[in-house]
Amino acid sequence: MTIHVNNIDIYYEKAGSGPPVILLHGNGETHKIFRVATQRLAEKYTVYAIDSRGHGKSGRVKALHYADMAEDVARFIEKVGLERPMLYGFSDGGIVALLLAIKYPALLSRLAVSGANLNPRSLSRGFLRFSRAMYAITRGCRWKLMLSEPDITEEELSRIEAPVLVLAGGKDIVEARHTRIIAGAIPGARLRILPGEGHASYVVNSPKLVDILEPFFEEGYA
């Protein structure tokens, strides 16, 4: 399905019934990375798996900015008529989720993020070198986005009101100390660093993700 919000067409797929859950993918991906998660979560929840602007079947753009993507989700929630949905964001989706919760503290009931970063300096040196090389070759807006944004402060994170679960792999491209900063700055946030996991190994069409998310989501409806 496609919905027009914030001056752009946003594609999403809806499955299941029950309390609403939104899933946000990472840079260069689509909602398809959540096929396994959607199937399982749809047994208890109404799942909305979104293609971010400039990705998948959503509208094309010349430039990408996380603030625009966060506003897309805010307007999506408003237009679809969701009441305080839960949200999980992976990588760039996690950045978007954090910005959304900062700007609209009462919008979400629960928030889980994994592999999110506060600024490009939070990423490993190897990944930054690779990203710079790819941008030099392609001049792609997705690479430029990761190299120039975000710029989230600890003070901004302290404004988040929803219960938050912060995840990262033990072998993530986001440096562990930065993941700990995110969790430490959000009031009451929980932190899980998953040993042996990479940036996406437990996320992309992996049942491990649902095993982690389900108990956290269920707490909101216990």
Side-chain angles (χ1 to χ4, degrees), residues 108-119:
L108 304 174
S109 63
R110 298 181 88 74
L111 171 62
V113 299
S114 65
N117 57 292
L118 298 181
N119 53 60

Side-chain angles (χ1 to χ4, degrees), residues 23 32-33 40-41 53 55 70 73 75 82 89 91 107 133 135 143 160 191-192 198 218:
L23 303 178
K32 292 180 180 179
I33 70 165
R40 282 188 52 188
L41 289 172
R53 62 166 57 205
H55 292 74
V73 180
R75 301 285 71 80
L82 306 183
S91 196
L107 189 62
Y135 178 63
W143 296 106
I160 296 176
L191 171 66
R192 285 189 64 181
E218 285 173 1

Side-chain angles (χ1 to χ4, degrees), residues 40-153:
R40 282 188 52 188
L41 289 172
E43 296 173 5
K44 299 179 181 178
Y45 304 100
T46 304
V47 181
Y48 298 85
I50 295 174
D51 281 352
S52 298
R53 62 166 57 205
H55 292 74
K57 297 180 181 179
S58 287
R60 302 294 96 186
V61 291
K62 293 182 179 179
L64 284 170
H65 300 287
Y66 292 122
D68 293 335
M69 297 159 83
E71 197 63 29
D72 293 343
V73 180
R75 301 285 71 80
F76 175 89
I77 291 170
E78 178 183 56
K79 194 161 186 177
V80 175
L82 306 183
E83 184 176 351
R84 302 197 70 220
M86 297 180 287
L87 190 151
Y88 166 71
F90 166 60
S91 196
D92 275 23
I95 295 169
V96 171
L98 291 174
L99 290 172
L100 181 70
I102 289 167
K103 187 172 182 180
Y104 302 102
L107 189 62
L108 304 174
S109 63
R110 298 181 88 74
L111 171 62
V113 299
S114 65
N117 57 292
L118 298 181
N119 53 60
R121 299 182 302 281
S122 308
L123 301 172
S124 70
R125 292 180 181 179
F127 184 75
L128 281 174
R129 284 195 297 269
F130 175 74
S131 298
R132 292 187 186 109
M134 290 303 297
Y135 178 63
I137 294 169
T138 67
R139 293 317 225 194
C141 62
R142 296 176 187 173
W143 296 106
K144 183 177 181 179
L145 175 66
M146 290 190 293
L147 291 169
S148 58
E149 299 182 21
D151 185 16
I152 302 172
T153 67

